[in-house]
Amino acid sequence: MARKSIQELIAQATANFPDNVTGLITPAALRNWAIDFLNAISPAYGYLTQPGPNTQVFGLTPALVVFSTAFDSNPAETTSAVPASTIQRAEKGTSTIQFTADLETNNGRFVTFTIYKNGVATSWRITGNGGGAGNPVSVSLTAVDYADPAATYSVEATCETNGTSVILSNMVM
C-alpha cells in the first residue's frame, strides 16, 4: 500500500469520521485509517557504508564517493545500491540525509563532500581539512529534504588539487 501524505490522511479522516450520530464510524473504518496513519509515520530508511579504509582519488571534478555495503529497512520504499553508491526514496515523506566519514589525506588538503539529489549538486556539503598521514579527520553533515516526491541521493567529493589520494573509513550515508 502506498504511503499517504498528511493531507491525504486528513481528507480520509474527514470523509470517514463524521459526527457519529448515525453510527457511520465503523471499527473497520477506524482500523484502516489507523493502519494508514502508522504506515505514513513509520520510518523507512536505507544506508550505505564503507567501514574499512578505502583509498579514493579526488580532484577538481566531482567524483562519486564509493561505498561497499547497502541496507534497506523496507525495500518497497528505499533502494540502496552498491556500486552505484545511491539511495533511492520511492515513497512520499521527509528525507533526512546523514553523511559521516573519517578522511586521511595530506596535511592542509581540503576535501569537500556534496550531497547530490537526482544527479544534481545540492547546497548540502561539508569540507574536511586533511591532517596528514596517520591523522584522520572526521566530517559529518545532516540535511533534511522536505520535498514530498521520490528522489535519488548520492555523495560526490572534490579536492582543490587533482590526483589527491584520500583514505576513507567509518563512512555512512
Side-chain angles (χ1 to χ4, degrees), residues 4-114:
K4 292 185 178 181
S5 70
I6 296 299
Q7 290 78 19
E8 290 169 323
L9 288 169
I10 291 169
Q12 181 183 356
T14 301
N16 290 348
F17 305 133
D19 291 338
N20 203 28
V21 294
T22 58
L24 293 177
I25 299 176
T26 66
L30 182 57
R31 181 175 45 256
N32 289 336
W33 184 88
I35 289 169
D36 286 344
F37 174 76
L38 292 170
N39 284 332
I41 65 168
S42 67
Y45 58 90
Y47 62 81
L48 301 167
T49 64
Q50 175 58 40
N54 179 32
T55 302
Q56 292 187 244
V57 177
F58 300 117
L60 300 173
T61 303
L64 185 67
V65 174
V66 178
F67 293 87
S68 61
T69 58
F71 174 81
D72 294 293
S73 68
N74 183 345
E77 295 191 26
T78 60
T79 304
S80 303
V82 172
S85 292
T86 59
I87 299 175
Q88 182 178 18
R89 171 85 185 246
E91 288 285 345
K92 298 175 182 177
T94 300
S95 294
T96 302
I97 302 101
Q98 297 176 321
F99 172 76
T100 61
D102 292 339
L103 68 96
E104 187 177 333
T105 191
N106 298 343
N107 193 28
R109 190 65 44 90
F110 292 97
V111 181
T112 299
F113 299 91
T114 302

Side-chain angles (χ1 to χ4, degrees), residues 147-169:
D148 217 11
T152 300
Y153 302 95
S154 61
V155 179
E156 295 193 16
T158 57
C159 191
E160 82 275 10
T161 303
N162 280 326
T164 300
S165 227
V166 179
I167 301 170
L168 297 169
S169 58

Side-chain angles (χ1 to χ4, degrees), residues 109-173:
R109 190 65 44 90
F110 292 97
V111 181
T112 299
F113 299 91
T114 302
I115 305 291
Y116 279 64
K117 178 180 176 182
N118 297 328
V120 178
T122 68
S123 59
W124 305 319
R125 59 194 62 193
I126 187 78
T127 300
N129 185 358
N135 293 311
V137 173
S138 295
V139 294
S140 179
L141 76 87
T142 299
V144 179
D145 189 358
Y146 292 104
D148 217 11
T152 300
Y153 302 95
S154 61
V155 179
E156 295 193 16
T158 57
C159 191
E160 82 275 10
T161 303
N162 280 326
T164 300
S165 227
V166 179
I167 301 170
L168 297 169
S169 58
N170 302 317
M171 193 166 55
V172 178
M173 177 170 100

